[in-house]
């Protein structure tokens, strides 16, 4: 009778502990920015204090179960770690006993986007939680290329970033212009290469446009006005401007020559 009561008590205590054991993530979606490490948060309760010998933590991809990082027997176990994550993962060992099973991932790229599972097993219970990782990179300063032809003018902007941006060309009245857009990559640097251009037929004496690039993932907005004057040059006015400039340059040359002559004479007198 005493043995039966003891077994019932143990089962009841164990059952309540297992029910109370929970694994959770503070953020279901995490955004990783190029050039910065990212932390995939994961926690479990109740905490285990310093007793980590029976704690097993495994991070793996949800789609194909690739192992990012494993911890058991009180230390990291990386024998089964997938090669693409080698030397890129680490856990916060001093915080493991407090219920923090988060993982740091370095050198994040587009290939790391996806769903990840945090699995925790201990004597008190086990559980899993899933987190979605997304990747983004700020777009670089757009570079403008202008090509002028007898009947039209072509304006092209180039930039690199991630993911695919929203691009808009507008005229001086704010109306959208038909633009050509080329997007390639990403390359080994984790960036997409963007080329976007507009062609204006018979632009007249001037061009007044606006180019806007939006990276929604990072809230980045790059807006660049394009103002060009295509009026032909006035050769008379150009000559009037050029002649004074030439005179000033000649005068400076004469002054420098005079200074050099004076210095040479002084040196000659000192030697004599």
């Amino acid at each position: 009778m005493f043995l039966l009561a003891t077994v019932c008590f143990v089962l009841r205590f164990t059952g309540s502990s297992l029910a109370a054991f929970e694994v959770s993530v503070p953020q279901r979606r995490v955004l990783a920015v190029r050039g910065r490490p990212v932390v995939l948060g994961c926690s479990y309760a109740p905490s285990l204090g310093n007793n980590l010998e029976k704690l097993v933590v495994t991070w793996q991809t949800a789609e194909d179960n690739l192992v990012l990082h494993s911890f058991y027997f009180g230390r990291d176990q990386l024998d089964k770690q997938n090669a693409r994550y080698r030397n890129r993962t680490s856990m916060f060992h001093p915080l493991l006993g407090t219920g923090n099973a988060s993982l740091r991932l370095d050198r994040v790229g587009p290939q790391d986007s996806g769903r990840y599972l945090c699995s925790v097993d201990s004597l008190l219970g086990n559980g899993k939680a899933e987190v979605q990782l997304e990747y983004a990179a700020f777009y670089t300063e757009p570079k403008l290329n202008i090509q002028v032809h007898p009947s039209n003018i072509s304006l092209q902007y180039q930039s690199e970033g991630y993911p695919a941006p929203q691009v808009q060309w507008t005229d001086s009245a704010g109306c959208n212009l038909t633009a050509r857009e080329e997007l390639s990559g990403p390359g080994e640097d984790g960036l997409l290469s963007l080329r976007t251009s507009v062609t204006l037929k018979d632009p007249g004496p001037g061009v007044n446009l606006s180019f806007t690039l939006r990276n929604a993932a990072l809230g980045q907005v790059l807006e660049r006005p394009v103002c060009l004057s295509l009026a032909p040059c006035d050769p008379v006015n150009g000559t009037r401007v050029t002649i004074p400039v030439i005179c000033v340059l000649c005068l400076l040359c004469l002054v420098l020559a005079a200074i050099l002559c004076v210095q040479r004479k002084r040196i000659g007198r000192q030697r004599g």
Side-chain angles (χ1 to χ4, degrees), residues 113-159:
S113 298
R115 297 181 295 118
Y116 293 89
L117 284 177
C118 171
S119 303
V120 181
D121 290 88
S122 73
L123 292 176
L124 299 179
N126 60 78
K128 296 181 180 181
E130 182 178 301
V131 59
Q132 174 79 31
L133 177 62
E134 299 176 354
Y135 169 81
F138 286 98
Y139 272 83
T140 59
E141 177 63 29
K143 297 180 180 179
L144 178 62
N145 181 34
I146 303 173
Q147 293 183 352
V148 180
H149 305 283
S151 60
N152 62 67
I153 180 172
S154 177
L155 306 174
Q156 182 188 77
Y157 266 116
Q158 299 181 31
S159 183

Side-chain angles (χ1 to χ4, degrees), residues 168-186:
Q168 185 180 29
W169 290 84
T170 56
D171 59 17
S172 57
C175 298
N176 290 330
L177 299 174
T178 301
R180 181 181 179 184
E181 186 174 324
E182 297 179 8
L183 200 62
S184 60

Side-chain angles (χ1 to χ4, degrees), residues 9-177:
F9 173 78
V10 171
L11 290 176
R12 185 178 303 173
F13 175 79
T14 305
S16 62
S17 298
L18 291 175
F21 194 89
E22 180 183 1
V23 178
S24 60
V25 293
Q27 292 178 294
R28 293 288 182 181
R29 291 180 177 270
V30 176
L31 179 63
V33 181
R34 179 178 181 266
R36 306 175 189 174
V38 65
V39 175
L40 303 178
C42 180
S43 61
Y44 62 90
S47 60
L48 301 176
N50 295 324
N51 184 19
L52 302 181
E53 290 296 326
K54 302 299 182 180
L55 175 67
V56 178
V57 179
T58 303
W59 277 93
Q60 58 191 140
T61 59
E63 291 85 358
D64 43 17
N65 297 323
L66 298 180
V67 176
L68 281 75
H69 199 101
S70 295
F71 178 93
Y72 52 90
F73 294 151
R75 62 187 181 90
D76 292 326
Q77 305 287 346
L78 305 179
D79 294 341
K80 296 183 179 180
Q81 184 184 51
N82 187 269
R84 61 189 280 189
Y85 300 106
R86 193 163 297 157
N87 299 322
R88 297 175 54 208
T89 62
S90 59
M91 301 191 71
F92 303 89
H93 293 165
L95 302 178
L96 276 171
T98 65
N100 189 336
S102 302
L103 180 75
R104 168 173 166 154
L105 181 62
D106 294 320
R107 302 187 300 280
V108 186
Q111 71 281 358
D112 296 316
S113 298
R115 297 181 295 118
Y116 293 89
L117 284 177
C118 171
S119 303
V120 181
D121 290 88
S122 73
L123 292 176
L124 299 179
N126 60 78
K128 296 181 180 181
E130 182 178 301
V131 59
Q132 174 79 31
L133 177 62
E134 299 176 354
Y135 169 81
F138 286 98
Y139 272 83
T140 59
E141 177 63 29
K143 297 180 180 179
L144 178 62
N145 181 34
I146 303 173
Q147 293 183 352
V148 180
H149 305 283
S151 60
N152 62 67
I153 180 172
S154 177
L155 306 174
Q156 182 188 77
Y157 266 116
Q158 299 181 31
S159 183
E160 293 181 321
Y162 197 93
Q166 298 174 351
V167 175
Q168 185 180 29
W169 290 84
T170 56
D171 59 17
S172 57
C175 298
N176 290 330
L177 299 174

Side-chain angles (χ1 to χ4, degrees), residues 139-142 159 211-215 220-224:
Y139 272 83
T140 59
E141 177 63 29
S159 183
F211 166 77
T212 304
L213 182 152
R214 292 182 175 87
N215 186 346
Q220 181 188 22
V221 179
L222 298 176
E223 187 172 2
R224 300 293 180 265

